[in-house]
Amino acid sequence: MVRIKQSLSSLTHTSRPKKSKTAMARSMLHRVKTSTNTDEADIHSQSVTPITPSSSASIARVSSGAPTDSSPLAASKVAQAQGSMQNAATVEQSVRKFRLYEALRSGDTTLVDKVMRESFAEAKGAGHSRTASTGSVPGVLDGTSVLHLAVQCADVPTIDHVLTHAGTAIDINEQDKDGNTPLHLASELSRIPVVSLLLQQRGINDTMLNYQGRSPLDVAKNPDVFQQLQLARSIYLDRQIKEVQQLVSSNKYTQLETALQDSHFQTVVDVNGEQLATDPATVESGGTLLHEAARRKDIKLIELLLLNGADPFRRDRKGKLPQDITKDEATRTILKKSPAAAAAQRGVQEKTILGSGNQPTALGATSGDTAPGGKEGREMKGYLKKWTNYTTGYRLRWFVLEDGVLSYYKHQG
């Protein structure tokens, strides 16, 4: 019985026909062709799909940049459309900037006015709002302004035309994408007549810092430009001191508060300096304006000074604090225990421990450098004349005295 089953099993296996290699190859080729035709048919059916209202709305959303479905294909189409629009806008900005640059360089004020009007009209039509500058319109001049471009390439009459252009509000202290004001650029490029013209403008601030923490005085490479900036700062300092003294003598404390809170004033004028005092006894003892206010028992002036940076712990040359000047208890209490005195004390402690960043002082150093042990305490620098040779004689050189070592260079930086 067992033998019969084995015989039947062997007969069954041997009765199955074997496929030849040629037949197997043909079968595989047929399957490949069938799969290829199916894929092509699917692609064809996708490409000839009729446009329905829903699909047309989707296309409209893609062309307008609005978000559609979250499929990768739709996202890719939106990205391509937006990229094309951005490239076109960039090219247009470059062309407009080049036209304006050529007009400024050639001194054609009529063409300058035309390009400026076109730029502002286009920006207004696109919904951009103009800033306080003549040319800083988002998407129009790409991080700069007409005045910045003029300072770099135009002559003085053309720059003066831009500054006085009718109907154009100029922000003389506007910063470009690097934080530079027009005065920064003119100083760095050593354009002496342009620096002089800018310094004559109302509201010019020569102490503003760019994004690298440098003022126009710091980037000046020409000794004449450096001296111009120093002279302008000295004139401003002298004018502000006289104005403060007049406001104090006439008790115009509202205007005095406005002056004390001005950023340019705070950078240049030291409210704790001896030069603000006018009282003969205070001047003789080397006291500050706060000493003078304490001697006058002027509580309102004391509070105003304390809230705007006056130091209640600054001693005069006789070693006296402002609270030691007077015997009036109300005045002494204001100087020692008032909220204004507490705020002033915190401010003094913060400046002593941390400094106050990169704010420049009247000497061109930073407030952090003037802290105890800071760099300003062990460094002196400036332009001096040095004998070079018999041909050129004395020439200005940039001298730096630091830690007892004297060095000199052709220019700073």
Side-chain angles (χ1 to χ4, degrees), residues 21-87:
K21 292 182 179 180
T22 304
M24 292 176 65
R26 287 177 179 175
S27 176
M28 293 175 63
L29 181 60
H30 176 71
R31 287 198 297 271
V32 170
K33 286 183 178 180
T34 303
S35 175
T36 304
N37 292 336
T38 303
D39 294 340
E40 290 177 354
D42 292 341
I43 294 173
H44 180 68
S45 64
Q46 291 178 3
S47 62
V48 298
T49 300
I51 298 178
T52 62
S54 60
S55 63
S56 62
S58 176
I59 293 174
R61 287 195 299 271
V62 171
S63 61
S64 64
T68 58
D69 56 70
S70 58
S71 65
L73 180 60
S76 176
K77 289 182 179 179
V78 171
Q80 291 178 359
Q82 292 178 346
S84 300
M85 294 172 63
Q86 290 176 357
N87 290 336

Short mmCIF file of all heavy atoms in Angstrom, two decimals, residues 21-87:
data_model
loop_
_atom_site.label_atom_id
_atom_site.label_comp_id
_atom_site.label_asym_id
_atom_site.label_seq_id
_atom_site.Cartn_x
_atom_site.Cartn_y
_atom_site.Cartn_z
N LYS A 21 12.93 28.37 -19.95
CA LYS A 21 13.49 29.69 -19.62
C LYS A 21 12.92 30.76 -20.53
O LYS A 21 12.69 31.90 -20.12
CB LYS A 21 15.01 29.66 -19.74
CG LYS A 21 15.66 28.78 -18.68
CD LYS A 21 17.16 28.83 -18.81
CE LYS A 21 17.82 27.96 -17.73
NZ LYS A 21 19.29 28.01 -17.85
N THR A 22 12.68 30.41 -21.78
CA THR A 22 12.12 31.38 -22.72
C THR A 22 10.73 31.79 -22.32
O THR A 22 10.36 32.98 -22.35
CB THR A 22 12.09 30.77 -24.14
OG1 THR A 22 13.40 30.36 -24.49
CG2 THR A 22 11.58 31.81 -25.15
N ALA A 23 9.93 30.85 -21.88
CA ALA A 23 8.56 31.16 -21.45
C ALA A 23 8.56 32.02 -20.20
O ALA A 23 7.76 32.95 -20.05
CB ALA A 23 7.80 29.86 -21.19
N MET A 24 9.47 31.72 -19.28
CA MET A 24 9.54 32.53 -18.07
C MET A 24 9.95 33.97 -18.39
O MET A 24 9.42 34.93 -17.83
CB MET A 24 10.55 31.92 -17.09
CG MET A 24 10.10 30.58 -16.51
SD MET A 24 11.34 29.83 -15.46
CE MET A 24 11.42 31.03 -14.16
N ALA A 25 10.87 34.15 -19.30
CA ALA A 25 11.30 35.49 -19.70
C ALA A 25 10.15 36.26 -20.35
O ALA A 25 9.95 37.45 -20.10
CB ALA A 25 12.49 35.41 -20.65
N ARG A 26 9.41 35.56 -21.22
CA ARG A 26 8.27 36.24 -21.86
C ARG A 26 7.22 36.67 -20.84
O ARG A 26 6.62 37.74 -20.94
CB ARG A 26 7.65 35.29 -22.89
CG ARG A 26 8.48 35.11 -24.14
CD ARG A 26 7.81 34.12 -25.06
NE ARG A 26 8.62 33.95 -26.29
CZ ARG A 26 8.33 33.07 -27.24
NH1 ARG A 26 7.26 32.26 -27.09
NH2 ARG A 26 9.08 32.97 -28.32
N SER A 27 6.98 35.81 -19.83
CA SER A 27 6.00 36.14 -18.80
C SER A 27 6.41 37.37 -18.00
O SER A 27 5.62 38.28 -17.72
CB SER A 27 5.83 34.94 -17.86
OG SER A 27 4.96 35.26 -16.81
N MET A 28 7.69 37.46 -17.62
CA MET A 28 8.18 38.62 -16.87
C MET A 28 8.10 39.89 -17.71
O MET A 28 7.72 40.95 -17.22
CB MET A 28 9.62 38.39 -16.42
CG MET A 28 9.78 37.28 -15.38
SD MET A 28 11.50 36.94 -14.98
CE MET A 28 11.96 38.51 -14.29
N LEU A 29 8.44 39.78 -19.01
CA LEU A 29 8.38 40.95 -19.89
C LEU A 29 6.95 41.45 -20.04
O LEU A 29 6.68 42.65 -20.06
CB LEU A 29 8.98 40.58 -21.25
CG LEU A 29 9.02 41.71 -22.30
CD1 LEU A 29 9.88 42.87 -21.78
CD2 LEU A 29 9.59 41.21 -23.62
N HIS A 30 6.01 40.53 -20.09
CA HIS A 30 4.60 40.90 -20.21
C HIS A 30 4.12 41.65 -18.97
O HIS A 30 3.40 42.65 -19.06
CB HIS A 30 3.76 39.63 -20.42
CG HIS A 30 2.28 39.91 -20.46
ND1 HIS A 30 1.68 40.57 -21.52
CD2 HIS A 30 1.30 39.62 -19.57
CE1 HIS A 30 0.39 40.68 -21.29
NE2 HIS A 30 0.13 40.10 -20.10
N ARG A 31 4.56 41.18 -17.77
CA ARG A 31 4.17 41.86 -16.54
C ARG A 31 4.75 43.28 -16.46
O ARG A 31 4.10 44.21 -16.01
CB ARG A 31 4.62 41.05 -15.33
CG ARG A 31 3.79 39.78 -15.11
CD ARG A 31 3.97 39.25 -13.69
NE ARG A 31 5.34 38.84 -13.42
CZ ARG A 31 5.82 37.60 -13.65
NH1 ARG A 31 5.02 36.67 -14.16
NH2 ARG A 31 7.06 37.30 -13.36
N VAL A 32 5.99 43.44 -16.89
CA VAL A 32 6.62 44.75 -16.88
C VAL A 32 5.89 45.72 -17.79
O VAL A 32 5.61 46.87 -17.45
CB VAL A 32 8.11 44.65 -17.27
CG1 VAL A 32 8.71 46.04 -17.49
CG2 VAL A 32 8.89 43.92 -16.20
N LYS A 33 5.53 45.25 -19.02
CA LYS A 33 4.81 46.10 -19.96
C LYS A 33 3.45 46.50 -19.42
O LYS A 33 3.00 47.65 -19.55
CB LYS A 33 4.67 45.39 -21.29
CG LYS A 33 5.95 45.32 -22.09
CD LYS A 33 5.69 44.65 -23.43
CE LYS A 33 6.96 44.62 -24.29
NZ LYS A 33 6.71 43.98 -25.60
N THR A 34 2.79 45.55 -18.80
CA THR A 34 1.47 45.85 -18.23
C THR A 34 1.56 46.91 -17.15
O THR A 34 0.75 47.85 -17.08
CB THR A 34 0.86 44.56 -17.65
OG1 THR A 34 0.80 43.57 -18.68
CG2 THR A 34 -0.56 44.84 -17.13
N SER A 35 2.55 46.82 -16.27
CA SER A 35 2.73 47.81 -15.20
C SER A 35 3.05 49.18 -15.76
O SER A 35 2.52 50.20 -15.32
CB SER A 35 3.85 47.35 -14.26
OG SER A 35 4.10 48.34 -13.29
N THR A 36 3.91 49.24 -16.81
CA THR A 36 4.27 50.52 -17.42
C THR A 36 3.08 51.19 -18.05
O THR A 36 2.85 52.39 -17.92
CB THR A 36 5.40 50.31 -18.45
OG1 THR A 36 6.48 49.66 -17.83
CG2 THR A 36 5.83 51.65 -19.05
N ASN A 37 2.29 50.42 -18.77
CA ASN A 37 1.11 50.99 -19.42
C ASN A 37 0.11 51.51 -18.41
O ASN A 37 -0.54 52.53 -18.62
CB ASN A 37 0.44 49.90 -20.30
CG ASN A 37 1.33 49.53 -21.49
OD1 ASN A 37 2.16 50.34 -21.91
ND2 ASN A 37 1.15 48.33 -22.03
N THR A 38 0.00 50.81 -17.29
CA THR A 38 -0.92 51.26 -16.23
C THR A 38 -0.48 52.60 -15.64
O THR A 38 -1.29 53.51 -15.44
CB THR A 38 -0.99 50.21 -15.12
OG1 THR A 38 -1.38 48.97 -15.68
CG2 THR A 38 -2.01 50.64 -14.05
N ASP A 39 0.84 52.77 -15.38
CA ASP A 39 1.35 54.03 -14.84
C ASP A 39 1.13 55.18 -15.80
O ASP A 39 0.75 56.29 -15.43
CB ASP A 39 2.85 53.92 -14.51
CG ASP A 39 3.08 52.93 -13.37
OD1 ASP A 39 2.10 52.67 -12.63
OD2 ASP A 39 4.22 52.45 -13.24
N GLU A 40 1.40 54.94 -17.10
CA GLU A 40 1.22 55.99 -18.10
C GLU A 40 -0.24 56.40 -18.19
O GLU A 40 -0.58 57.57 -18.35
CB GLU A 40 1.73 55.51 -19.46
CG GLU A 40 3.25 55.37 -19.53
CD GLU A 40 3.70 54.83 -20.88
OE1 GLU A 40 2.81 54.48 -21.67
OE2 GLU A 40 4.91 54.79 -21.11
N ALA A 41 -1.11 55.41 -18.10
CA ALA A 41 -2.54 55.72 -18.15
C ALA A 41 -2.95 56.57 -16.95
O ALA A 41 -3.73 57.51 -17.07
CB ALA A 41 -3.35 54.42 -18.17
N ASP A 42 -2.38 56.28 -15.76
CA ASP A 42 -2.70 57.09 -14.58
C ASP A 42 -2.21 58.51 -14.73
O ASP A 42 -2.91 59.47 -14.41
CB ASP A 42 -2.07 56.45 -13.33
CG ASP A 42 -2.73 55.11 -12.98
OD1 ASP A 42 -3.86 54.90 -13.48
OD2 ASP A 42 -2.11 54.32 -12.26
N ILE A 43 -1.00 58.65 -15.24
CA ILE A 43 -0.43 59.99 -15.44
C ILE A 43 -1.25 60.76 -16.46
O ILE A 43 -1.56 61.95 -16.30
CB ILE A 43 1.05 59.90 -15.87
CG1 ILE A 43 1.88 59.30 -14.74
CG2 ILE A 43 1.59 61.28 -16.27
CD1 ILE A 43 3.31 59.03 -15.13
N HIS A 44 -1.64 60.09 -17.52
CA HIS A 44 -2.41 60.74 -18.56
C HIS A 44 -3.77 61.18 -18.03
O HIS A 44 -4.25 62.29 -18.31
CB HIS A 44 -2.58 59.79 -19.75
CG HIS A 44 -3.38 60.41 -20.88
ND1 HIS A 44 -2.90 61.45 -21.64
CD2 HIS A 44 -4.64 60.14 -21.34
CE1 HIS A 44 -3.80 61.80 -22.55
NE2 HIS A 44 -4.87 61.01 -22.38
N SER A 45 -4.36 60.32 -17.25
CA SER A 45 -5.66 60.66 -16.68
C SER A 45 -5.55 61.85 -15.73
O SER A 45 -6.45 62.68 -15.67
CB SER A 45 -6.25 59.45 -15.95
OG SER A 45 -5.43 59.11 -14.84
N GLN A 46 -4.41 61.96 -15.01
CA GLN A 46 -4.23 63.11 -14.12
C GLN A 46 -4.00 64.39 -14.91
O GLN A 46 -4.46 65.45 -14.54
CB GLN A 46 -3.05 62.88 -13.18
CG GLN A 46 -3.30 61.79 -12.15
CD GLN A 46 -2.08 61.55 -11.27
OE1 GLN A 46 -1.10 62.26 -11.41
NE2 GLN A 46 -2.17 60.55 -10.41
N SER A 47 -3.28 64.31 -16.01
CA SER A 47 -2.94 65.52 -16.76
C SER A 47 -4.12 66.05 -17.54
O SER A 47 -4.18 67.24 -17.83
CB SER A 47 -1.77 65.22 -17.71
OG SER A 47 -2.15 64.23 -18.64
N VAL A 48 -5.09 65.25 -17.89
CA VAL A 48 -6.22 65.70 -18.70
C VAL A 48 -7.47 65.82 -17.85
O VAL A 48 -8.58 65.88 -18.38
CB VAL A 48 -6.47 64.74 -19.88
CG1 VAL A 48 -5.29 64.69 -20.81
CG2 VAL A 48 -6.82 63.33 -19.38
N THR A 49 -7.29 65.87 -16.56
CA THR A 49 -8.46 66.03 -15.69
C THR A 49 -9.11 67.36 -15.98
O THR A 49 -8.44 68.40 -15.98
CB THR A 49 -8.04 65.97 -14.22
OG1 THR A 49 -7.43 64.72 -13.98
CG2 THR A 49 -9.26 66.14 -13.31
N PRO A 50 -10.41 67.41 -16.26
CA PRO A 50 -11.07 68.67 -16.60
C PRO A 50 -11.08 69.61 -15.39
O PRO A 50 -11.11 69.18 -14.25
CB PRO A 50 -12.48 68.23 -16.98
CG PRO A 50 -12.67 66.93 -16.30
CD PRO A 50 -11.33 66.26 -16.32
N ILE A 51 -11.04 70.92 -15.67
CA ILE A 51 -11.04 71.93 -14.62
C ILE A 51 -12.46 72.12 -14.11
O ILE A 51 -13.36 72.51 -14.86
CB ILE A 51 -10.48 73.26 -15.14
CG1 ILE A 51 -9.04 73.08 -15.59
CG2 ILE A 51 -10.58 74.36 -14.09
CD1 ILE A 51 -8.43 74.31 -16.17
N THR A 52 -12.63 71.83 -12.87
CA THR A 52 -13.93 72.01 -12.23
C THR A 52 -13.91 73.29 -11.44
O THR A 52 -12.85 73.91 -11.25
CB THR A 52 -14.21 70.82 -11.28
OG1 THR A 52 -13.20 70.83 -10.28
CG2 THR A 52 -14.19 69.50 -12.05
N PRO A 53 -15.06 73.75 -10.98
CA PRO A 53 -15.06 75.00 -10.18
C PRO A 53 -14.15 74.91 -8.96
O PRO A 53 -13.49 75.87 -8.61
CB PRO A 53 -16.54 75.14 -9.78
CG PRO A 53 -17.28 74.45 -10.87
CD PRO A 53 -16.42 73.30 -11.29
N SER A 54 -14.13 73.73 -8.31
CA SER A 54 -13.27 73.61 -7.13
C SER A 54 -11.81 73.68 -7.49
O SER A 54 -11.00 74.29 -6.82
CB SER A 54 -13.57 72.29 -6.40
OG SER A 54 -13.31 71.19 -7.28
N SER A 55 -11.44 73.02 -8.63
CA SER A 55 -10.03 73.07 -9.02
C SER A 55 -9.61 74.44 -9.47
O SER A 55 -8.50 74.88 -9.24
CB SER A 55 -9.76 72.03 -10.14
OG SER A 55 -10.52 72.36 -11.30
N SER A 56 -10.52 75.18 -10.15
CA SER A 56 -10.18 76.54 -10.56
C SER A 56 -9.99 77.45 -9.36
O SER A 56 -9.13 78.31 -9.34
CB SER A 56 -11.29 77.10 -11.47
OG SER A 56 -12.52 77.17 -10.75
N ALA A 57 -10.79 77.24 -8.33
CA ALA A 57 -10.60 78.02 -7.10
C ALA A 57 -9.27 77.72 -6.46
O ALA A 57 -8.59 78.61 -5.94
CB ALA A 57 -11.73 77.72 -6.11
N SER A 58 -8.86 76.43 -6.52
CA SER A 58 -7.57 76.06 -5.96
C SER A 58 -6.44 76.73 -6.72
O SER A 58 -5.48 77.21 -6.14
CB SER A 58 -7.40 74.54 -6.01
OG SER A 58 -6.13 74.17 -5.55
N ILE A 59 -6.57 76.77 -8.08
CA ILE A 59 -5.53 77.43 -8.89
C ILE A 59 -5.47 78.91 -8.55
O ILE A 59 -4.40 79.51 -8.45
CB ILE A 59 -5.82 77.21 -10.39
CG1 ILE A 59 -5.65 75.73 -10.74
CG2 ILE A 59 -4.91 78.07 -11.24
CD1 ILE A 59 -6.03 75.39 -12.14
N ALA A 60 -6.64 79.52 -8.37
CA ALA A 60 -6.66 80.94 -8.01
C ALA A 60 -5.98 81.19 -6.68
O ALA A 60 -5.25 82.15 -6.50
CB ALA A 60 -8.11 81.45 -7.96
N ARG A 61 -6.19 80.27 -5.74
CA ARG A 61 -5.55 80.44 -4.44
C ARG A 61 -4.05 80.30 -4.57
O ARG A 61 -3.29 81.02 -3.93
CB ARG A 61 -6.09 79.40 -3.44
CG ARG A 61 -7.50 79.70 -2.97
CD ARG A 61 -7.84 78.89 -1.73
NE ARG A 61 -7.77 77.44 -1.97
CZ ARG A 61 -8.81 76.72 -2.40
NH1 ARG A 61 -9.98 77.30 -2.65
NH2 ARG A 61 -8.69 75.41 -2.58
N VAL A 62 -3.57 79.37 -5.40
CA VAL A 62 -2.13 79.19 -5.59
C VAL A 62 -1.51 80.43 -6.21
O VAL A 62 -0.46 80.91 -5.81
CB VAL A 62 -1.85 77.94 -6.45
CG1 VAL A 62 -0.38 77.89 -6.84
CG2 VAL A 62 -2.26 76.69 -5.70
N SER A 63 -2.19 81.00 -7.24
CA SER A 63 -1.63 82.16 -7.93
C SER A 63 -1.60 83.39 -7.04
O SER A 63 -0.76 84.26 -7.18
CB SER A 63 -2.45 82.47 -9.18
OG SER A 63 -3.80 82.78 -8.82
N SER A 64 -2.54 83.49 -6.11
CA SER A 64 -2.56 84.64 -5.21
C SER A 64 -1.68 84.46 -3.99
O SER A 64 -1.55 85.35 -3.18
CB SER A 64 -4.00 84.91 -4.76
OG SER A 64 -4.48 83.82 -4.01
N GLY A 65 -1.10 83.25 -3.83
CA GLY A 65 -0.23 83.01 -2.68
C GLY A 65 -0.99 82.55 -1.46
O GLY A 65 -0.41 82.42 -0.41
N ALA A 66 -2.30 82.32 -1.58
CA ALA A 66 -3.07 81.88 -0.43
C ALA A 66 -2.83 80.41 -0.19
O ALA A 66 -2.58 79.64 -1.12
CB ALA A 66 -4.56 82.13 -0.67
N PRO A 67 -2.93 79.93 1.05
CA PRO A 67 -2.69 78.53 1.34
C PRO A 67 -3.80 77.64 0.78
O PRO A 67 -4.98 77.96 0.87
CB PRO A 67 -2.66 78.49 2.87
CG PRO A 67 -3.44 79.68 3.29
CD PRO A 67 -3.24 80.70 2.25
N THR A 68 -3.42 76.52 0.18
CA THR A 68 -4.39 75.56 -0.34
C THR A 68 -4.28 74.30 0.49
O THR A 68 -3.96 74.36 1.66
CB THR A 68 -4.11 75.30 -1.83
OG1 THR A 68 -2.77 74.80 -1.96
CG2 THR A 68 -4.26 76.58 -2.64
N ASP A 69 -4.49 73.14 -0.13
CA ASP A 69 -4.40 71.91 0.65
C ASP A 69 -2.96 71.64 1.03
O ASP A 69 -2.04 72.28 0.55
CB ASP A 69 -4.96 70.72 -0.16
CG ASP A 69 -4.26 70.58 -1.50
OD1 ASP A 69 -3.08 70.19 -1.47
OD2 ASP A 69 -4.87 70.86 -2.55
N SER A 70 -2.76 70.68 1.90
CA SER A 70 -1.45 70.44 2.50
C SER A 70 -0.65 69.39 1.74
O SER A 70 0.30 68.87 2.28
CB SER A 70 -1.65 69.99 3.95
OG SER A 70 -2.46 68.83 3.99
N SER A 71 -1.02 69.07 0.51
CA SER A 71 -0.26 68.09 -0.25
C SER A 71 1.09 68.66 -0.66
O SER A 71 1.22 69.86 -0.86
CB SER A 71 -1.04 67.66 -1.49
OG SER A 71 -1.19 68.75 -2.36
N PRO A 72 2.10 67.83 -0.80
CA PRO A 72 3.43 68.34 -1.20
C PRO A 72 3.41 69.05 -2.54
O PRO A 72 4.12 70.03 -2.75
CB PRO A 72 4.29 67.07 -1.23
CG PRO A 72 3.57 66.11 -0.34
CD PRO A 72 2.11 66.40 -0.49
N LEU A 73 2.58 68.56 -3.50
CA LEU A 73 2.54 69.16 -4.82
C LEU A 73 2.01 70.59 -4.75
O LEU A 73 2.55 71.52 -5.35
CB LEU A 73 1.67 68.32 -5.76
CG LEU A 73 1.53 68.83 -7.20
CD1 LEU A 73 2.91 68.88 -7.86
CD2 LEU A 73 0.59 67.95 -8.00
N ALA A 74 0.93 70.79 -3.96
CA ALA A 74 0.36 72.12 -3.82
C ALA A 74 1.33 73.07 -3.12
O ALA A 74 1.50 74.22 -3.51
CB ALA A 74 -0.95 72.05 -3.04
N ALA A 75 2.01 72.58 -2.08
CA ALA A 75 2.98 73.40 -1.36
C ALA A 75 4.13 73.80 -2.27
O ALA A 75 4.63 74.93 -2.21
CB ALA A 75 3.50 72.66 -0.14
N SER A 76 4.55 72.90 -3.13
CA SER A 76 5.63 73.20 -4.06
C SER A 76 5.22 74.28 -5.05
O SER A 76 5.99 75.19 -5.36
CB SER A 76 6.06 71.93 -4.80
OG SER A 76 7.03 72.22 -5.76
N LYS A 77 3.98 74.21 -5.55
CA LYS A 77 3.50 75.21 -6.50
C LYS A 77 3.42 76.59 -5.84
O LYS A 77 3.80 77.59 -6.44
CB LYS A 77 2.13 74.81 -7.03
CG LYS A 77 2.16 73.61 -7.97
CD LYS A 77 0.78 73.29 -8.49
CE LYS A 77 0.81 72.11 -9.46
NZ LYS A 77 -0.55 71.78 -9.95
N VAL A 78 2.93 76.63 -4.61
CA VAL A 78 2.85 77.90 -3.89
C VAL A 78 4.23 78.49 -3.67
O VAL A 78 4.47 79.69 -3.87
CB VAL A 78 2.12 77.71 -2.54
CG1 VAL A 78 2.22 78.98 -1.70
CG2 VAL A 78 0.68 77.33 -2.76
N ALA A 79 5.20 77.65 -3.28
CA ALA A 79 6.56 78.13 -3.04
C ALA A 79 7.18 78.67 -4.32
O ALA A 79 7.86 79.70 -4.31
CB ALA A 79 7.41 77.00 -2.47
N GLN A 80 6.94 77.98 -5.45
CA GLN A 80 7.48 78.46 -6.71
C GLN A 80 6.87 79.80 -7.11
O GLN A 80 7.57 80.69 -7.59
CB GLN A 80 7.24 77.41 -7.80
CG GLN A 80 8.06 76.14 -7.63
CD GLN A 80 7.74 75.11 -8.70
OE1 GLN A 80 6.91 75.36 -9.56
NE2 GLN A 80 8.41 73.97 -8.64
N ALA A 81 5.55 79.94 -6.92
CA ALA A 81 4.89 81.19 -7.28
C ALA A 81 5.41 82.34 -6.42
O ALA A 81 5.71 83.43 -6.93
CB ALA A 81 3.38 81.06 -7.12
N GLN A 82 5.53 82.10 -5.13
CA GLN A 82 6.03 83.16 -4.25
C GLN A 82 7.49 83.50 -4.55
O GLN A 82 7.88 84.66 -4.51
CB GLN A 82 5.89 82.73 -2.78
CG GLN A 82 4.45 82.64 -2.32
CD GLN A 82 4.33 82.16 -0.89
OE1 GLN A 82 5.30 81.65 -0.32
NE2 GLN A 82 3.16 82.31 -0.30
N GLY A 83 8.30 82.50 -4.84
CA GLY A 83 9.70 82.76 -5.18
C GLY A 83 9.83 83.60 -6.44
O GLY A 83 10.67 84.50 -6.52
N SER A 84 8.99 83.33 -7.43
CA SER A 84 9.03 84.11 -8.66
C SER A 84 8.65 85.56 -8.40
O SER A 84 9.29 86.49 -8.93
CB SER A 84 8.07 83.50 -9.69
OG SER A 84 8.45 82.17 -9.99
N MET A 85 7.63 85.76 -7.57
CA MET A 85 7.22 87.13 -7.26
C MET A 85 8.31 87.87 -6.50
O MET A 85 8.58 89.05 -6.77
CB MET A 85 5.93 87.10 -6.44
CG MET A 85 4.72 86.56 -7.19
SD MET A 85 3.28 86.33 -6.13
CE MET A 85 2.96 88.00 -5.64
N GLN A 86 8.98 87.20 -5.57
CA GLN A 86 10.05 87.84 -4.81
C GLN A 86 11.23 88.19 -5.70
O GLN A 86 11.83 89.25 -5.57
CB GLN A 86 10.50 86.94 -3.67
CG GLN A 86 9.47 86.79 -2.56
CD GLN A 86 9.90 85.82 -1.49
OE1 GLN A 86 10.96 85.20 -1.61
NE2 GLN A 86 9.09 85.65 -0.45
N ASN A 87 11.58 87.29 -6.62
CA ASN A 87 12.69 87.57 -7.54
C ASN A 87 12.37 88.77 -8.42
O ASN A 87 13.23 89.62 -8.67
CB ASN A 87 12.97 86.34 -8.40
CG ASN A 87 13.57 85.20 -7.60
OD1 ASN A 87 14.17 85.42 -6.55
ND2 ASN A 87 13.41 83.98 -8.07
#
